[in-house]
Amino acid sequence: MVKLSTAGKKSLDDLVTQFQAEKKLPGFGITVTSIDEELYASAGGFRVHDDPESGAVTPDSLFWICSMTKLITALAGLVLIEQGKLNFDDPVTKYLPQFKDLVVLEGLMTTPTPTPRPAQGVPTILHLFTHGSGSTYFAKVPDLIYALGKGYTFEQTGGREQAQAEFLEHIKEGYSGIPLAADPGISFSYGYSSDILGIIIARVTGQSLADFCEQYIFKPIGIETTFRLTPELRARLIELSFRNEDRSISRFEDRFPLIQRYPKEVFLDLGGIGSYSTLPDYAALLRHLLRIEAGKDVPHPILKQETVKSLFKPQLTEAGTIALAAVVSIWDTNTARSGVNSSTGFALTTSDLPGKRKANSGFWGGWAGTLYSIDPTTGIAIVAGSQIVPTVDKGAVELFDTVEAIVYANLEDD
């Protein structure tokens, strides 16, 4: 059994103290788990930036985990794959006729006026899992550093089916069909694939994505992760902060639209960005996967071992790995240069990172400043971050990188 040394725990405690004293981040948290148990959990700062009366951030504080939701939606889809209710080879048009007419935006990332053309082929369910569908966040927004995509910020006014239809219309961004960055199956494209998968899960099951995940993922593992805020959960949610150009930190103060959430009613659970979790609960989800992958005893396993093992198998084409590396390099050039791929659940490192995670480890992050890694070779998972935008905040990245280095330098066998 691997454990974190006493010196390692002290180094993490010192890091928390340093980040608080130097005000490198607003409220933040750290959780480290082995395949067997939680090894470390701590937090710093206040629920509202620079407001002691708002209460201290603790391991029980709630984070909007944004794109870390994508793994949850993938796991829900894999449950349906195992149940035989969904197939990787199914065309998305089997469930969503809106995908019959797609347009590829030629020159999307190289010219301000890309040229639309009819797409060749249609995406499959597998393409949604691997982000090879071509769906893109960048059809009209040059980057998501400051603002979320239009598909995330529309006003939801009707029931679930109406909200689904409205979402699929909004992501057209004014084009004649849903825009793609590349033909389906050709490359990696960061976009709405997980949200589309979430809509299909809801249609196949007749349940909301929130209810399905509660039944088949959150409740079996015993975690409080959720798509739906309540008054009690809202009171524990860390408020967003904003990093100014001079590196100072201010409160977010509704600088641009966010996703619809409590106290407004949520009709569409966003499979790409819409969930909330404590960091220890997300680490418990990763620990659950580590235990299944290793063949250890797991009460109420959410997936079969062979399915979980497939999460650590690369799926992208060569063109896809190049496109993924370009995205990863925005916050982690070392990992991007070492080689990356993507599976049916998360991005993968393809070689060992010196002093850090091993090859075929999973990783990703969330738009509001959270990151995670899951390393089945070492049996370690790490979740850390803050609630700060613009995205890929240097302080949040520094926190995660430093935590990972400390953890791997201080692991020992029990």
Side-chain angles (χ1 to χ4, degrees), residues 38 60 213-226 236 277-278 280-288 298-302:
E38 183 178 282
D60 199 40
C213 289
E214 177 65 27
Q215 180 179 352
Y216 288 97
I217 300 174
F218 306 149
K219 187 175 181 180
I221 299 175
I223 57 178
E224 204 174 19
T225 305
T226 183
R236 289 163 47 198
S277 183
T278 69
D281 275 349
Y282 201 88
L285 168 66
L286 299 179
R287 181 169 64 247
H288 186 85
V298 180
H300 314 298
I302 63 172

Side-chain angles (χ1 to χ4, degrees), residues 105-117:
L105 304 181
E106 293 283 3
L108 175 60
M109 305 308 289
T110 58
T111 175
T113 55
T115 303
R117 64 163 173 82

Side-chain angles (χ1 to χ4, degrees), residues 17-28:
T17 300
Q18 175 195 351
F19 265 68
Q20 288 187 110
E22 298 179 8
K23 295 186 177 182
K24 289 192 171 187
L25 283 172
F28 65 92

Side-chain angles (χ1 to χ4, degrees), residues 67-390:
S67 285
M68 286 166 52
T69 303
K70 290 176 169 64
L71 171 59
I72 294 169
T73 303
L75 297 176
L78 291 173
V79 169
L80 291 182
I81 295 287
E82 287 192 350
Q83 292 177 351
K85 297 177 182 178
L86 204 60
N87 295 293
F88 283 132
D89 293 333
D90 287 344
V92 172
T93 48
K94 178 178 178 179
Y95 307 97
L96 300 175
Q98 293 91 335
F99 279 77
K100 290 180 180 178
D101 297 307
L102 304 171
V103 295
V104 172
L105 304 181
E106 293 283 3
L108 175 60
M109 305 308 289
T110 58
T111 175
T113 55
T115 303
R117 64 163 173 82
Q120 298 179 14
V122 296
T124 64
I125 295 298
L126 178 61
H127 294 149
L128 298 179
F129 278 92
T130 63
H131 303 279
S133 71
S135 174
T136 177
Y137 286 141
F138 309 110
K140 287 290 177 68
V141 181
D143 63 60
L144 294 180
I145 298 297
Y146 283 92
L148 295 175
K150 189 175 181 181
Y152 287 144
T153 57
F154 72 95
E155 185 79 11
Q156 300 178 27
T157 57
R160 187 165 71 229
E161 290 188 5
Q162 180 178 331
Q164 291 171 354
E166 289 173 345
F167 170 84
L168 293 171
E169 183 64 28
H170 275 274
I171 65 174
K172 286 170 67 175
E173 299 276 18
Y175 288 99
S176 60
I178 292 174
L180 308 180
D183 289 309
I186 298 299
S187 187
F188 173 93
S189 178
Y190 203 41
Y192 297 106
S193 289
S194 297
D195 306 285
I196 296 160
L197 179 59
I199 290 173
I200 292 173
I201 290 169
R203 294 199 174 185
V204 169
T205 64
Q207 297 176 265
S208 67
L209 179 62
D211 288 344
F212 186 82
C213 289
E214 177 65 27
Q215 180 179 352
Y216 288 97
I217 300 174
F218 306 149
K219 187 175 181 180
I221 299 175
I223 57 178
E224 204 174 19
T225 305
T226 183
F227 283 85
R228 303 291 177 87
L229 292 175
T230 63
E232 186 273 333
L233 292 175
R234 181 66 183 83
R236 289 163 47 198
L237 182 67
I238 304 169
E239 296 291 339
L240 272 181
S241 295
F242 189 87
R243 179 82 69 180
N244 301 302
E245 289 186 4
D246 64 1
R247 304 300 299 155
S248 63
I249 300 172
S250 301
R251 297 176 190 176
F252 179 68
E253 297 176 335
D254 299 323
R255 293 169 189 259
F256 41 79
L258 300 175
I259 66 172
Q260 188 154 314
R261 65 187 186 190
Y262 177 88
K264 291 185 177 180
E265 187 171 1
V266 175
F267 298 105
L268 175 62
D269 303 307
L270 295 166
I273 198 172
S275 66
Y276 308 86
S277 183
T278 69
L279 300 192
D281 275 349
Y282 201 88
L285 168 66
L286 299 179
R287 181 169 64 247
H288 186 85
L289 297 177
L290 285 173
R291 291 187 66 80
I292 295 174
E293 193 276 341
K296 288 184 172 285
D297 180 58
V298 180
H300 314 298
I302 63 172
L303 293 167
K304 298 174 182 177
Q305 183 184 25
E306 61 186 292
T307 302
V308 175
K309 281 186 172 294
S310 72
L311 287 170
F312 299 94
K313 293 181 179 178
Q315 296 282 345
L316 293 181
T317 63
E318 182 177 354
T321 64
I322 294 170
L324 173 59
V327 174
V328 173
S329 66
I330 296 172
W331 78 90
D332 191 344
T333 55
N334 289 333
T335 297
R337 289 170 182 166
S338 72
V340 291
N341 207 300
S342 186
S343 73
T344 49
F346 32 58
L348 298 171
T349 56
T350 56
S351 60
D352 293 351
L353 299 182
K356 296 183 178 181
R357 72 196 91 131
K358 301 299 184 183
N360 297 317
S361 293
F363 70 96
W364 205 244
W367 178 81
T370 54
L371 301 108
Y372 74 88
S373 63
I374 175 171
D375 178 352
T377 301
T378 309
I380 288 291
I382 300 170
V383 190
S386 184
Q387 296 283 261
I388 185 168
V389 294

